[in-house]
Structure formats: C-alpha cells, structure tokens
Amino acid sequence: MEVYRNVCPRNCFCTCSMLSYAENGKLIRVTGDSEHGFTRGKLCSKGYAYTQRVYDAKRILHPMRQYPRGSGRWHRIAWDEAMDIVTRKMLELKGRYGSFRPICFNKQTGNIGILHYALDGFFAALESTVVNGTSCWSAGLDAFLYTFGDMRKSDPEDMVNSKIIIIWGGNPAWTALHQMYYINQAQENGAKVIVIDPVFTATAAQADIFIQPKAASDGALALGMAKYIIEQNIHDQDFLQQFVEGGKEFIQYVANLSDQWIEKETGLPREAWQEVAHLYATQRPGCIWLGLGLQRHANGGQNFRGILALAALTGNIGVSGAGVYYPSQEHWRLLNWHTRDAFLKKAEPAIRTVSLNNFAEEVSKLSEPPVKMLFLAGRDLWQDANTGALAAALEQMELVVQADHFLNRSSHFADIFLPSTTQFEEWDLVPSYWHHWIAVNQQAIEPRGECRSDLQIAQNLAHKINELAPGCVCDPQVGSEEEWVAQELSPELLESLNVTSFSELLEKPRKLRVSPLAWADLNFPTPSGKLELKSGLALADGFPLLPEFSRGFYPPVHYPYRLLTPHLNSGSNSQFTNLHWLSWGIDEPKLRINPRLAQKLKIQDNDRIRVYNHLGEVVLPVRITATVPEDTVLTYTGWFPGKTQINRLIDGKSCDMGIRGTGQPGIALYDTYVNLSAV
Ligand SMILES: Nc1nc2c(c(=O)[nH]1)N[C@H]1C(S)=C(S)[C@@H](COP(=O)(O)OP(=O)(O)OC[C@H]3O[C@@H](n4cnc5c(=O)[nH]c(N)nc54)[C@H](O)[C@@H]3O)O[C@H]1N2
Ligand SMILES: Nc1nc2c(c(=O)[nH]1)N[C@H]1C(S)=C(S)[C@@H](COP(=O)(O)OP(=O)(O)OC[C@H]3O[C@@H](n4cnc5c(=O)[nH]c(N)nc54)[C@H](O)[C@@H]3O)O[C@H]1N2
Ligand code: SF4
Ligand SMILES: [Mo]
C-alpha cells in the first residue's frame, strides 16, 4: 500500500493530519498521523469515515444539468458544455448590466484549504457580488479586538499547565475533540475544569463543576464573578494598574451591581458564581475558553467583553497556563495568498458585497444591478437563517451553479452541478485556526470520475471566459497543484516551520516556532497600548464604554421557549450526516425537552411535536432529557436527508458585534424562540 499525508479541511478546531492508505489507486483506509503533535495519531469518527465519503454511491462524479430546475431531472453534461453555459451567461449578464455584479459568489467554510480560495480570487477579479460575513465567530472576535486590539491566543497545548480551565459556552468534547486530551491531562495534574453552559453537554460530563446559567446572561454572570473577586480583594491590583485601561471605572461600575439583580438575570444562586470566581482568582494560573455558541446572541459580543474583563482583573494573561482561548487566524497571515491573488488584475478590486446574515432577503433586495446568477461553492444555503425566504430569492436567478461533492438541500434550485474533488484527490495546505501545526495535503488518488478541484474549476472558468472575452481576468494556468501549494509558503512561514524548502514539509507535519504564549510582552495594539476595559473604539461603534451587561432578547409572549441548535458530534455543519456510517443508529433530528416541560405538555418520549414561530413550523420527534433546562428546547444543526430542516425557524437577527473584524455582525442563531404543541 502507498501511504500519503492528508489534512482534514473541515471547519474544525483540530485540522487533523491524516495518513491515507491507497492500493491500486483506491483509498483503502484513513488513520491519524502520530507525527502531528497536536492530534497525536487520532481522528474523530468523521475522519475515519472518509473512505465512505469518497466512495459513497451518492457522490456526484460528472458535471450535470437539471432541467427544468427543481424537477430532480439531472442529466450528465461534459465539462466543456458546463463551462460554456456558465461563462456565456456571465458575459451575457455583463453585456446587459455593464458589469459582473449580477453574479453572486457564495462560499463559506465547506473546505477551508488555501487552494480553494482560487474561486474567491476568480470572482473578486471580475468584481462580481460576493457574500460577506461568517456565521462562526464575528461577535466574539470584535470583543477581542476592542479589549486586546487583536485576536491572539496561546498554544492550546499550553492548557495542560492550567490549574483552572473554564469552558464557557463551547462543547469541545464534540466540536474540538483533540483539545480534550490537554484538558484531561491538566485535570490529571490536579486542575479543576468548570463548564458554563445552559445545556449539560458531553464536555460538562467531564467537568468538575457545571454551572447552568440562562442563555445569553453570561455578561451578568461574569460581572457577578468580578464583583466577588473585587469584594474579596483577590484581584491583581498591580496588573490592573500597569496594563489595563479603565480598571478603576470598571471596579466602580461593578461595585454598584446587586447580587440579587445578578441572580435574577442569570437564574443562578450567588454561591455558584462565587465559588467559580474564587477558584479562578486564587488557583492560578487559570484560563478561559470562550466558545462560539456563547456569542451567537444579540448581546454576545458585549457578554464576551464581560468575560474578558475577568482575565484582566486577575492578571491571568501572558503566562503559561493562563490566557483566554478563541479561534484566531494569526498563522493564516503567514501565507502568501498566492492562490487567491493570482487571478486578480488589480490589488483592490471593487467588489460589491451582500451580507450572509439573512442572505435570501438581502440578495433579493440588491438592485442596480440586481443579482441574476448565483455561484455556490462548498455551501449549503439551508445552513443559513431564514431559509423560508430562499425559494423566492433563488427564483429570481437566471442561473444557479453549484460546486460540491453531493447534491444537497441547495441543489433543488441549481441548474448546473460541478463535481469537486475531495482532499484525497487534490493537493492543498490547510492552516489551523486553533493549534500551531501545519501539514501539506498530498494527492493520494486520482480524481474520481470527472471530478475537478476547486482550483481547477477556477482555472477552467478563467480560461473559458478569457477565450470568449479576452482580458477578463488573469489566467494562471501554469504549474501543478503541488507547485501552487509551494507558492503559498512565504520565507517567513518556512523559517517559522524550521524548514528550508517545501519538500521538507512533505516529510512530516511541523510546528510553527512562534511564541507559545499570547501577550507575553503585555503590549496591546489598542489605542492606549493597554488592555482596554474602557474602550473608546467600542463607544464610537455604539457600544457601552465598559463591559456592562446588555440584556439580550427575552421570549415573546407567543413563543416562550428558546430553541438552541448547536453543533453535532457526528456531523460537521451540514456534512457527514448523509453518510450511513455516521447516521446509523443516531436517528437525528430529535427535539430535546426537559422532563418537567414534557409533563406540562403531556408529551412522551418519541412523540412528535409541532415546533413553530412567526416563520413557520416543523414537526420533530421528542427526546425527553434533563440535559436541557425547562425553558429551552434543543436540536442539532445539520443536514439529515429527507428530514425536517430546522433553520426555517431561525430569523437571522444580528449579534451586537462583528463589523470591525469581518465587515458584518455575527448571526444571533441561538436567539430563536418557538412554541410547542402536540401533533
Ligand atoms: N463535531 C463537530 N465539530 C465542529 C463543528 C460541527 O458541526 N461538528 N462545527 C465547527 C464550527 S463551523 C464551529 S463554528 C464550531 C462550534 O463549536 P462550539 O464553540 O462548541 O459552539 P456551538 O456548538 O455553537 O455551541 C457550544 C455550546 O454553547 C452553548 N450555548 C449556547 N448559548 C449559550 C449562552 O448564551 N451561554 C453559554 N454559556 N453557552 C451557550 C450551547 O448550549 C452549546 O453547548 O465547531 C466546529 N467543530
Ligand atoms: N441552526 C444553525 N445553523 C447553523 C449553525 C448553527 O449552530 N445552528 N452554525 C453555522 C455555522 S457556525 C457554520 S460555519 C455554517 C456552515 O455551513 P456551510 O458554510 O454551508 O458549510 P458546510 O455545511 O460545512 O458545507 C457545505 C457544503 O460544502 C461541501 N464541500 C465540502 N468540501 C468541498 C470542496 O472541497 N469543494 C466544494 N466545492 N464543496 C465542498 C459539502 O459537501 C457541503 O455540501 O452553518 C451555520 N448554520
Ligand atoms: S472533523 Fe475535525 S476532528 Fe474530525 S478528522 Fe476532521 S479535523 Fe479532525
Ligand atoms: Mo462555524
């Protein structure tokens, strides 16, 4: 068997290095890569299921056309014909409207590999309309930018040195599996793990202390902790004085809060937060992991600021075992971004953007020129909010093109399907937004059927459109994919990886030689040069000067239950749940409801229940479980073919923050309210 190194390109904290075993050109087995220091030779269930994903009977292996749209009548066409249809339509629209703006490119994080940014480059080069924003992390990111001036975090492997680990609104036992090794190691060394979540999760099951506040009340909870720390005089006064802007004002603000008010906002008895605050301030060093779920609320960013203030108050910053953890793209800055930029004719193309939040309505509203063609790559629009508005939005499109591995929920509205390769059939480089390791993704097998990589698709489009209308875009046809990967490695990156050439990197994954500790120099790129609890930038952007608590949404009278839809262990967003290996026996989606609520509604396990709000209704089987609180119901996000699509009930309201870092506010996906009735 031949053995190759691949990298899992899913939007996942772990970015695992994998060994793939191929025999006679066929992928036989995928395992973890023990040379990868962070993931240490292990994968999650999804990683081990890649052989099924690559060879699944439903994988699309040839370009196809659906005619008429929505009929399900797909027929095979040649690549040439597909490219011809797509590029002629693009040019026809340009002729009609004077620019490529009637074409909207919508890609998110179906594959985060760097070579996949070729498509971004191609559509940017044409100055078409491009979807902007991300559903992952925007609100939390801005809170970091206001407080620290940048988003940096320590090497997550350093968590083993923590004495207290607070996992706040994240579920790493499912969503960042490999980090649990470092957390468990710390626990074995005597650390206490505290999980703060409205839901008792798989991560909570491994914790020493579980705190269950009302969702979106975390800012108030953090302030309660701050108040206690100050009252007990266990804050780090030197740190505050030297490195923090607004410490005094923050202390004053917090002193005026009453425990009673905090109890009311959070639904917790004061002893709960006082115990956690005491541990965090006294058992040093302590770190806090800020989860993505925590910030998917209309007050998510401001809640983050409250939590970040705890690190400032206790000086748990810049030393081993301390710090605040959140995804960051520091290492992405070391790439050349050659793949994206190779298509550009000018450095700063004039791109029209459309917000991802409430995409369906926003894209329909664009005029002068209206959007008439949609190009989807690595996207399932049914992961968006307000999916009820999608059908109308897609109807206005004269052509919908989709590049993917499978026909998904979006395919119903597509005219042309372009089959993409998986990571085993292409070269790539996938940096991590979490750990400090980098590995090259090698091509292990020939593309299945007529599949082409997203880079090749971008090259084909560029070539064809230039053939029909010379000079439209740069046409970078030259070089193998392997060479494209090599071109991404800047001298700085090579040096940081301690290699002199690209080929050395093929031998094994390498760890970046960057400081393992964020903010060790305690120099913050904020306007004051200090860590800012008092942020003039936040004020200028319309937020409170201090990390005050801003109340979130409360349930409207008619829809009294909060609907949470977090991420599932056996899926990666919409991916994998279509595979038999991973869906077998799971029988999702189910609506999890608390036993007391079930009693009130006279509902039994497995009964079907109507879940509805102002946007519509879905019917789901019930799972009665005390893991969810009484005022909350929960079902996991994902694509469960043929089953209910929950995002129909999510209205796409915005988080408070996000514009500074990503140009769009985050999406308050978890501020969704519903009512329930027996079917
Ligand atoms: N297995 C798997 N791994 C994944 C993904 C996947 O789909 N599956 N997706 C990847 C992607 S794209 C992302 S963005 C990340 C997401 O990974 P996480 O950071 O784990 O985020 P979520 O799954 O959105 O939510 C995590 C927890 O936040 C809790 N939560 C919700 N609201 C609040 C609140 O107001 N306060 C508090 N304290 N907690 C709250 C939820 O109950 C949930 O348990 O995971 C990545 N990893
Ligand atoms: N209700 C609810 N909705 C959510 C969330 C939630 O917590 N709750 N989370 C949100 C979050 S954080 C995220 S990140 C989004 C994710 O939603 P999306 O951005 O749509 O991403 P995925 O579901 O990961 O993948 C989309 C498609 O990419 C395809 N794909 C994979 N690899 C490739 C490739 O190499 N090339 C091409 N062309 N296609 C490929 C997959 O087959 C899949 O069909 O969902 C969001 N939606
Ligand atoms: S989904 Fe995440 S944990 Fe699973 S194999 Fe991919 S990178 Fe690793
Ligand atoms: Mo995400």
Side-chain angles (χ1 to χ4, degrees):
M1 267 196 251
E2 287 154 27
V3 186
Y4 298 88
R5 262 208 173 80
N6 290 97
V7 181
C8 178
R10 304 283 78 84
N11 183 348
C12 175
F13 290 81
C14 299
T15 312
C16 295
S17 178
M18 308 181 291
L19 296 179
S20 54
Y21 296 79
E23 198 170 43
N24 302 325
K26 193 168 176 204
L27 185 70
I28 304 290
R29 192 159 71 96
V30 177
T31 67
D33 176 359
S34 53
E35 299 271 12
H36 192 269
F38 180 76
T39 54
R40 304 165 38 264
K42 296 188 174 70
L43 303 173
C44 75
S45 55
K46 301 176 289 292
Y48 292 116
Y50 271 120
T51 44
Q52 185 172 62
R53 187 177 162 95
V54 170
Y55 295 107
D56 189 72
K58 290 212 166 71
R59 180 141 173 236
I60 306 298
L61 304 177
H62 310 281
M64 299 200 297
R65 184 175 197 178
Q66 179 179 224
Y67 189 80
R69 187 191 287 173
S71 64
R73 286 206 289 277
W74 287 94
H75 63 272
R76 184 172 166 179
I77 56 174
W79 270 104
D80 263 0
E81 189 185 350
M83 288 294 135
D84 202 59
I85 296 169
V86 174
T87 49
R88 276 183 200 279
K89 186 70 196 175
M90 293 171 78
L91 289 166
E92 190 254 305
L93 288 170
K94 177 165 188 240
R96 203 188 319 162
Y97 293 103
S99 77
F100 285 110
R101 290 187 165 197
I103 299 149
C104 177
F105 174 61
N106 189 330
K107 171 178 166 240
Q108 286 280 302
T109 55
N111 183 321
I112 62 170
I114 190 73
L115 260 49
H116 293 258
Y117 284 84
L119 281 166
D120 302 69
F122 171 74
F123 284 98
L126 296 176
E127 303 191 318
S128 57
T129 301
V130 168
V131 78
N132 188 29
T134 142
S135 37
C136 294
W137 66 322
S138 318
L141 175 63
D142 275 17
F144 272 92
L145 298 184
Y146 292 131
T147 312
F148 291 89
D150 193 12
M151 180 54 239
R152 298 179 204 163
K153 62 164 185 314
S154 295
D155 182 345
E157 294 171 39
D158 182 60
M159 234 182 242
V160 293
N161 299 317
S162 303
K163 291 278 167 273
I164 294 291
I165 300 173
I166 304 182
I167 304 171
W168 203 320
N171 185 14
W174 281 12
T175 57
L177 185 66
H178 290 94
Q179 188 62 32
M180 292 314 286
Y181 170 77
Y182 302 95
I183 292 171
N184 296 152
Q185 286 280 109
Q187 263 174 318
E188 272 173 36
N189 298 339
K192 288 246 175 323
V193 173
I194 298 155
V195 168
I196 303 178
D197 200 305
V199 176
F200 186 80
T201 59
T203 312
Q206 298 188 38
D208 300 282
I209 298 175
F210 170 57
I211 304 283
Q212 193 172 23
K214 288 186 200 165
S217 75
D218 305 271
L221 174 55
L223 293 172
M225 288 171 65
K227 179 171 182 279
Y228 175 83
I229 289 170
I230 294 160
E231 281 168 0
Q232 297 295 308
N233 209 16
I234 46 178
H235 52 304
D236 186 337
Q237 301 197 21
D238 290 346
F239 188 89
L240 274 180
Q241 209 153 32
Q242 279 190 61
F243 304 111
V244 178
E245 178 73 11
K248 248 194 227 140
E249 291 90 330
F250 180 68
I251 288 176
Q252 244 163 26
Y253 165 68
V254 167
N256 287 326
L257 304 174
S258 82
D259 286 335
Q260 234 169 351
W261 172 78
I262 297 162
E263 283 180 338
K264 191 167 148 276
E265 291 296 333
T266 60
L268 293 168
R270 63 195 69 174
E271 293 75 23
W273 72 73
Q274 291 178 349
E275 183 181 352
V276 175
H278 190 82
L279 285 170
Y280 179 61
T282 57
Q283 306 289 299
R284 303 158 66 89
C287 70
I288 303 179
W289 176 331
L290 291 104
L292 297 150
L294 169 68
Q295 46 97 59
R296 305 191 202 283
H297 296 282
N299 60 350
Q302 191 64 11
N303 284 344
F304 256 49
R305 285 181 72 198
I307 296 169
L308 296 179
L310 292 171
L313 204 57
T314 55
N316 261 316
I317 288 165
V319 293
S320 181
V324 278
Y325 284 90
Y326 196 59
S328 68
Q329 290 189 312
E330 294 157 85
H331 309 143
W332 296 62
R333 294 179 202 154
L334 297 170
L335 297 165
N336 280 332
W337 289 95
H338 168 266
T339 310
R340 183 193 59 195
D341 296 346
F343 292 84
L344 299 179
K345 281 202 296 192
K346 44 182 166 171
E348 301 219 356
I351 303 166
R352 177 169 71 167
T353 61
V354 55
S355 168
L356 171 79
N357 310 12
N358 215 345
F359 170 75
E361 281 184 10
E362 301 283 323
V363 81
S364 310
K365 273 194 260 165
L366 286 181
S367 59
E368 296 175 25
V371 170
K372 291 288 177 193
M373 174 177 158
L374 183 63
F375 194 107
L376 299 170
R379 214 44 266 281
D380 190 350
L381 294 174
W382 267 254
Q383 286 295 111
D384 287 352
N386 199 7
T387 51
L390 275 170
L394 291 169
E395 241 153 58
Q396 84 177 41
M397 305 295 166
E398 294 172 16
L399 188 72
V400 177
V401 186
Q402 179 182 28
D404 208 296
H405 300 145
F406 295 97
L407 292 176
N408 62 19
R409 290 167 291 187
S410 305
S411 312
H412 179 77
F413 293 92
D415 304 290
I416 302 287
F417 186 96
L418 306 176
S420 299
T421 44
T422 64
Q423 71 266 29
F424 305 98
E425 301 148 79
E426 65 189 22
W427 283 83
D428 209 350
L429 188 75
V430 194
S432 164
Y433 54 71
W434 189 246
H435 57 67
H436 288 196
W437 290 80
I438 288 204
V440 171
N441 178 78
Q442 292 175 295
Q443 182 177 344
I445 52 170
E446 286 301 309
R448 289 209 60 211
E450 292 183 356
C451 292
R452 292 186 183 175
S453 69
D454 287 343
L455 168 65
Q456 276 175 309
I457 294 175
Q459 287 175 318
N460 295 162
L461 286 167
H463 193 66
K464 188 75 190 176
I465 207 161
N466 278 348
E467 216 173 80
L468 297 170
C472 263
V473 285
C474 294
D475 184 6
Q477 299 291 319
V478 284
S480 64
E481 284 190 355
E482 186 178 352
E483 283 161 341
W484 279 71
V485 173
Q487 289 188 74
E488 286 297 345
L489 302 169
S490 64
E492 205 187 342
L493 185 59
L494 287 171
E495 137 105 71
S496 177
L497 293 169
N498 202 17
V499 292
T500 47
S501 70
F502 167 70
S503 51
E504 256 182 272
L505 192 52
L506 291 178
E507 290 161 18
K508 60 176 187 188
R510 298 271 178 165
K511 190 171 184 181
L512 290 156
R513 289 187 302 176
V514 291
S515 165
L517 301 178
W519 309 116
D521 60 359
L522 297 170
N523 248 327
F524 302 98
T526 55
S528 65
K530 293 183 169 187
L531 192 158
E532 296 199 347
L533 294 188
K534 182 170 93 182
S535 165
L537 284 182
L539 188 70
D541 288 350
F543 303 110
L545 186 64
L546 296 171
E548 292 167 23
F549 180 58
S550 306
R551 269 190 161 185
F553 278 103
Y554 282 77
V557 232
H558 299 302
Y559 308 116
Y561 306 108
R562 185 186 289 273
L563 171 69
L564 289 178
T565 52
H567 296 230
L568 180 67
N569 52 352
S570 56
S572 173
N573 300 314
S574 73
Q575 305 191 54
F576 294 101
T577 35
N578 60 329
L579 299 181
H580 170 70
W581 283 4
L582 291 168
S583 62
W584 186 85
I586 288 183
D587 197 20
E588 287 293 344
K590 282 192 176 178
L591 190 75
R592 284 150 173 78
I593 69 173
N594 184 279
R596 283 191 294 270
L597 179 58
Q599 212 169 30
K600 205 164 99 190
L601 297 169
K602 301 193 171 52
I603 291 281
Q604 309 285 325
D605 230 5
N606 286 319
D607 279 358
R608 292 168 71 75
I609 198 166
R610 204 164 72 90
V611 191
Y612 63 96
N613 65 15
H614 59 295
L615 292 174
E617 69 166 68
V618 299
V619 174
L620 288 170
V622 162
R623 170 125 161 225
I624 299 173
T625 163
T627 55
V628 294
E630 207 174 331
D631 62 354
T632 300
V633 293
L634 181 149
T635 184
Y636 296 105
T637 184
W639 171 42
F640 307 95
K643 298 199 173 156
T644 304
Q645 309 308 333
I646 198 70
N647 283 25
R648 174 129 189 60
L649 303 182
I650 296 179
D651 66 11
K653 64 172 90 64
S654 290
C655 299
D656 45 357
M657 294 178 192
I659 293 181
R660 196 162 269 277
T662 63
Q664 295 291 333
I667 315 178
L669 288 163
Y670 300 168
D671 278 339
T672 298
Y673 288 102
V674 296
N675 207 340
L676 307 167
S677 67
V679 178

